[in-house]
Structure formats: C-alpha cells, structure tokens
Amino acid sequence: MDQTVEPMSPSRPSSHSISNFSPNYDTKSVRAGLIHDLKRFGIHVDDEFVLKEVLKIDEASLKDADACADLLRSTHRKDIESLQKVVMHGKVKDEKHMYNPLENLCRTIATYGSKSPRRHLVITNSKHLESESHFTGSLIPDLCAVEVGNGEVESIKTRDGKVFLRQVAAFAEVKKSDKDDPVPARSSATLNTAQVADYAAMLFIGRPFNLFVIGLSICGNKFRVGYFDRSGILFSEARDMFSKQGLPIFIKVIRRITCDMSNIDLGHNPNIHLLEGHTYYQNEYPKFRVDTGHQSSYVTEGRPLWISFSYLGRGTSTWVASSSGGVKLVLKFAWRSENRRGEASIYNDVGEMPGVARLMDGGDMMWKQRGLGQISIRSIRNLDPKVKFERNVILHFVGINPIGKMLWDAKDDLEFCLGIWAAIKGYRRLNKKKGFLHRDISPGNVFIWDEFQNGKPAPSDDEIGFLADLEFASFPTSQSIYVARPRETVTRLPSGKTVTTPIDSSRISSKNLSNTAVHSVFEEVAITKSGAGPEMTVSDIVFKLLRSFLPSVITGAINDNKDIQRTAEHDYESFLLVFIYAAFQRAIRKAKDARDEKTVSVLQTCFKKVYSGSTLKEILTQRSSFGDWQSMISPLESCLGENLGMAVRHAASIVYAQVSYTNRPPIQSQKLDFRASKFYQGPKTLEAISLTWEEVKMMFRQLLKEYRRSA
C-alpha cells in the first residue's frame, strides 16, 4: 500500500478562531474551547524557568528587597489590612476592593529608591483600553503593566483616558480566594486557567510580535507568575504574598516587570525592533524593522491588516511592509507545527497564477543573534534538542504580492463583484490544474487589488481580486482523497465543567451531539488506496467546528456523525458565505456613513443571526435562516444596488439549499434571470439549486453582464 504524505497545513486553528470574523466575542465558547486545548497541552509548574531564566528576579534593581518589604509593611499597613480583610471575610463580588491596595503597593515597589519606572501596574477597564484592531472583547485583566513615556504615570491618562492595547506589556488577574488558583490540584485546566490564557491572547493581539507573554495570578494571599507561549503555560510555584519569604520575591517580580525588563525580556521578538524614534505609547501606530534571519529585512507600515485572536493556534498577523529595496508587499507571520509544511513551500507548488497571491519571500524565521536556527518554542524555552517535545511550533513568514484590501472596502459594487469573482476563478484554475483544495476560505483570505498601495490599477479583470492564505491547502492525488470525519465532542455540564468525549464506533446520537456540544472536533484525513487493500490514514489535521464559513454539507455530516469526502464544491460554498458576509459589511458601512442608525441596527441584528454561531447546532440553525428571505435577506438587499442585491439573494438561496438538501442527489439547476422576481417563489424552487462550478459561474457571469448592460 502506498503511503504518500500530502502537503498539509502548518498548524491547527484554535478555539479563538470562532471569534475572528464573528460579530461577537463569545467569551463562554472561547474559554470552554481553551479549557479543552489546555487539557491537551497540559499546565506545568517550572519555578526555575519562570523566575530565574525568564524574569531573572535575582537581577532586580534594588539592593535590599527585605528593606523594601519592611517599608511596605509600615507605610502601606492599611492597604495590606484591606487586602487581607477581603480575602478572609469578603464575598466574591468584593474582589474589586483588592485592586486599589494592590495598585498602591506596586507603585511604591516600582518607584522605590527614586527609580523611574518603564511601566506602571494600574487598574484598567474596557472603557480605558483601545485595541486599534477588529478585537471587540470587553473583558480585560484587573491590572495591566502599562508602558509610559518618561516614566510618568500621568501619561496613561492622556487621549481622553484611553490606553492603547499595545502599551500593555504584562498583566495581573486578581481573585479573592486561593481556591481560584489557575493551577488546580485535580484537573489540568479550569475556567480560571482559561481566563488568564484568554488575557494572554489579548496581549498577543496588542503586541503581535511577542514570542511569549508574562502574567500574574493573585488568588487571595497567594501569587504565581505565568509564562504563556504558543505551546502552553508554565507557572511558578504559588507563594504567600505577605509571608516573610514570599513578599521579597513578589517585590522582585514587580520590580523586574515595571522597571528592569526590556520589551525583549518580556517576550518581544529580538529579530523585530521598533523603528528608531518610535514607541508603543505614541499616538500613531509604530513602525517595526523586521529581520527574517535570512538575507531579507522589511519595515512595516501602519497597523496590522489582520491579527488572529488565537492563543494556542497559529497566532497569525499580516502587515503592509517595504523591503530594503523599496518593494511593497504583505508580510504574514504564523506559527506552524514542526510536522507540517510551511506555507511558503505550498506557494512554491502553486506557482504564479492570476487570481492567486504570488510568493515574494518566505520560510521559517531564524534567530539573528543566537545562532540557534529556527525561531521555535523549543529554542525559546532553551530545551535540550534530545528531549522529546511534541508541542513544538515554528515561526513562519511569507511575503506576498500584490497588496490587497478587504472585499467590503471596494470602491464600488462592480469592483466588489469583480474582486471575489477573480479570486474564485483563480481557485478554479488551481483546482482544475492540480486538484487544489483550499479548505479555509474566509473573509481574511479573499482580497481586492489595492490600487493605492500597489501604485497602479490591476493589470486585468482576472487580477482585480485574489486568494491568499494557503496554510490549509492540499493537493490530493488520484490515489488519495480527503475525508472529514468526526473525532470528538466537548460538552458543557450544568456545573460549568467540560467533558471531552471521543467519537468511536459506539456513535453518539446526532440529537445529543447537537444539543450539548460546546464545540465538536473533526479531523481531515488523506485516504490512500492501493488495489483492493483497506483504507489507510496517511496524515491528518484537526479542525475545531467553530467556523462561520465551514461548508454546510460538512457541518451536517459531522452533526450526523458521518465521514464525508472533501471536494471543490465545499470551497465554493465557503466563497458564497464570504460573498454574503462581505455584502453585509458593505451595507452596514454604507448605512453608518449615511448616519441611518435604524438601518444599521436592523442590518447588525440580521448579521448576528446568520454569522454569530459558535456551536454545531447554532451554525446549522443560522444557515437555515438564509431561507427566511423576508426577514433575513430583504433588509440587506434593500441597502445594496439592484444587481448586487439579487445576487446576494441568489447566493443565500444556494447556501440554504445545501443545508436543506445535503443528502439529495444533484438536480439540474434552473437558469437565473436577474430581472425576474418569479424565480423566488418559495422553498420548493430551492430543490433545483445544486452547488457546482457551473452554478457559481452562471451567477457571477450573469451579475457582471447586468452591470455592463446598465453601464
């Protein structure tokens, strides 16, 4: 039997992936998924590594930590008493009364000996923090180590009380009881563990070039220091914050974070520097000089185009950048499993083709100074190469051209339609020529040519739009197919705990799976057949079923606990889901520009009803909403031009048909007349819509024909 390993994605998406394009940051679903991830990755205590190797507390810039401890006991006696009163007698809701005393203690530690701190550990709230990205989460840590200018804490009160998320260099989360310890005795992860991991993810959003993040967990009188990287969490031992042995260590930790540690010490990639004269606390988003560790270097321009929410996932960020030779391109950084191909090699296999991004540069990032080869979690943690480390991931980059903008940023409806159609045609060419399957079509990887950034118009209609982000791409051979099959389900009990259940031959009923799942996990396996022999799984990739753009037929198959073969038709459905999503974004922006708050509210309500699902059942139910034209699609259609509105309605009907008639044989499709309304008479006509290349081609050709006719 042949065993051909297919080119696979470099890593897996994480629990946070649901939030990347969701209208809401679903904290419960995200943290339930994090608990599942953390149980798999494990929670470890390594006091020596966290305190000695990372924080280097013995290098704290105070001569006598014991003397500082005596000062705190005398001058902050009331603060310490207030803390202990809450810990001993307070209720959970009284936790907030711990914040001010802790802030006071930390400020004295930071300024002890007339020191001018780099950062101050201050109380923060969602109104105080400005993310400068698509991140919409409202929950933030109780205290943040905020980087300030000239050592003045007053500078964080500027900009109408706003602090940029990029100013936050570390965090502290406070709980009333030591029972809320993020390192539980009986389990490898709890909701408290997921909470601090979620805050670490937030800091990665503010500082996308960080290799790791530092966070404190203060539970009652006990504290731990947490080290968070893309392969999991390492904690220090728990210590009593006010004991004779514990307080001096707490003082050293705070002193190192606020005064001594550079951004690199706190996790910033040493290959990537703030451009001279730029700071994290300036009003304008700073520029960075990137050294890939090869022959190439780049300077970023402006805010990132995209930042992933994921903590244990790929941690993707994309940027407009210029090479040392002045060539503009898009730089993408993401972590890949050491067992998976890098995206750059997949681009090399694809080659140059209209409608698909072109590779200009790429590979694994290499350490510039250390001579340790690839930038990986193994090398960051300084692990012995002989020691087995299954969770190792490697920082990978690609530089692609042309530079694109999001679909909804198109200058007009015609460019919007030409853009996505060019990307679909590019996909079709690859699929027809090489059997290419993308498997991760989303709004974040379908782009329109940016005339301003590229300095010229698109050379042809076939290049107005293009497809990028090939991490999950595959090239099945004639002897192999990709099959999506159920793997496990994660359920949430009434107590709030989650249980992971493998799916095997016993088969969980679809009714139970639909109603209880926080999320389901399925794997995509390359099945290779040789003669009459049995099927063999060659390699697999795990996906979390938390994707707003996952094809309905696959969603339905997982719901029914069935295997299903991956085909190009599934990617076509994802393109249509992206098309409708982008049309919503375009209509909402148009209504906002017109200051039509009523229409904005109606559109946002409809948008959330069809794109905010996080559980298996929610996603399937929301796809069915596409059939409720009057209440779901008509408000969107009325905000778009006549041609685009009709196309969106037709795309919605096709998506609805996939949900409703997944198991029926394809029926020859009925030709759509954009000027005729009788096509849309009710659900019965949907039986005539099958999702094929011909159906997609007919829709877009007819749409563009109508635009040219009315021009």
Side-chain angles (χ1 to χ4, degrees), residues 113-133:
S114 301
K115 184 72 173 179
S116 180
R118 298 183 182 196
R119 308 168 192 92
H120 282 278
L121 205 60
V122 297
I123 302 169
T124 46
N125 58 60
S126 58
K127 294 181 180 179
H128 199 205
L129 209 60
E130 186 173 328
S131 70
E132 302 178 286
S133 74

Side-chain angles (χ1 to χ4, degrees), residues 45-97:
V45 175
D46 191 333
D47 203 63
E48 180 75 16
F49 175 78
V50 175
L51 295 185
K52 301 291 186 178
E53 294 187 36
V54 179
L55 261 70
K56 297 182 171 63
I57 61 171
D58 292 336
E59 298 178 16
S61 60
L62 36 70
K63 294 180 180 179
D64 192 342
D66 291 325
C68 183
D70 292 338
L71 177 67
L72 292 179
R73 293 189 184 100
S74 60
T75 61
H76 288 279
R77 180 173 55 84
K78 290 185 177 180
D79 286 324
I80 294 173
E81 289 175 352
S82 295
L83 285 168
Q84 293 178 331
K85 182 179 179 181
V86 173
V87 171
M88 294 178 65
H89 307 293
K91 299 180 180 179
V92 173
K93 65 180 182 180
D94 295 326
E95 170 194 298
K96 60 181 179 292
H97 297 303

Side-chain angles (χ1 to χ4, degrees), residues 131-381:
S131 70
E132 302 178 286
S133 74
H134 56 285
F135 175 74
T136 56
S138 60
L139 301 177
I140 64 171
D142 299 320
L143 292 96
C144 291
V146 179
E147 196 163 313
V148 295
N150 301 319
E152 296 295 331
V153 70
E154 285 74 20
S155 67
I156 71 168
K157 302 299 182 184
T158 61
R159 296 180 289 274
D160 299 323
K162 291 290 185 181
V163 171
F164 295 125
L165 181 54
R166 54 181 151 92
Q167 287 180 254
V168 180
F171 71 91
E173 176 60 16
V174 181
K175 299 291 183 185
K176 174 199 166 293
S177 172
D178 59 7
K179 293 180 181 179
D180 295 318
D181 190 349
V183 184
R186 297 183 180 181
S187 173
S188 57
T190 66
L191 193 58
N192 294 317
T193 321
Q195 184 178 15
V196 292
D198 201 10
Y199 292 149
M202 185 199 76
L203 263 66
F204 277 122
I205 293 170
R207 297 193 170 191
F209 291 130
N210 267 38
L211 302 176
F212 60 85
V213 164
I214 297 297
L216 273 72
S217 174
I218 299 172
C219 300
N221 285 333
K222 302 290 182 66
F223 78 95
R224 292 182 189 269
V225 180
Y227 162 94
F228 305 81
D229 63 25
R230 301 296 182 175
S231 291
I233 311 174
L234 299 176
F235 284 104
S236 67
E237 297 284 356
R239 289 177 170 80
D240 189 325
M241 191 162 47
F242 299 116
S243 69
K244 184 176 182 180
Q245 295 78 23
L247 183 54
I249 293 177
F250 179 77
I251 289 169
K252 290 179 180 180
V253 167
I254 299 302
R255 184 71 167 203
R256 286 290 294 161
I257 290 173
T258 57
C259 297
D260 305 337
M261 298 177 77
S262 67
N263 285 327
I264 291 175
D265 294 331
L266 284 169
H268 200 281
N269 189 331
N271 280 38
I272 302 174
H273 300 274
L274 284 161
L275 208 61
E276 186 176 354
H278 287 245
T279 66
Y280 271 120
Y281 49 82
Q282 66 188 42
N283 284 318
E284 183 182 357
Y285 199 92
K287 295 183 178 182
F288 298 88
R289 186 176 300 280
V290 178
D291 189 322
T292 64
H294 300 273
Q295 299 296 319
S296 53
S297 64
Y298 302 92
V299 174
T300 64
E301 299 182 7
R303 301 177 185 181
L305 298 173
W306 176 253
I307 304 174
S308 169
F309 292 162
S310 64
Y311 162 47
L312 293 172
R314 293 174 285 173
T316 304
S317 67
T318 58
W319 310 71
V320 173
S322 296
S323 69
S324 54
V327 177
K328 272 192 175 183
L329 74 170
V330 172
L331 270 183
K332 173 185 172 182
F333 302 89
W335 295 85
R336 71 170 184 88
S337 166
E338 64 180 356
N339 299 320
R340 306 295 182 191
R341 290 183 64 188
E343 186 178 5
S345 68
I346 298 176
Y347 269 108
N348 281 326
D349 284 351
V350 166
E352 291 194 14
M353 191 168 293
V356 181
R358 296 186 299 275
L359 181 70
M360 307 296 288
D361 190 12
D364 295 332
M365 287 197 70
M366 312 295 286
W367 292 109
K368 180 182 177 182
Q369 303 293 340
R370 301 188 191 181
L372 295 178
Q374 300 162 321
I375 296 180
S376 66
I377 298 302
R378 177 184 287 277
S379 61
I380 293 167
R381 294 190 187 183

Side-chain angles (χ1 to χ4, degrees), residues 445-489:
N445 48 45
V446 181
F447 297 96
I448 289 177
W449 177 285
D450 191 322
E451 186 172 333
F452 174 77
Q453 291 284 6
N454 293 305
K456 60 181 179 180
S460 68
D461 284 358
D462 284 347
E463 295 176 83
I464 288 179
F466 58 93
L467 182 63
D469 195 356
L470 307 186
E471 289 184 76
F472 289 101
S474 64
F475 300 88
T477 66
S478 58
Q479 286 77 39
S480 69
I481 59 173
Y482 275 92
V483 174
R485 58 178 45 160
R487 177 170 175 175
E488 61 190 34
T489 183

Side-chain angles (χ1 to χ4, degrees), residues 489 503-504 506-517 520 558-561 616:
T489 183
I503 297 176
D504 53 26
S506 62
R507 298 289 188 182
I508 298 175
S509 72
S510 61
K511 179 179 178 181
N512 291 336
L513 185 61
S514 299
N515 292 328
T516 65
S520 295
I558 302 304
N559 184 56
D560 295 335
N561 202 19
L616 191 67

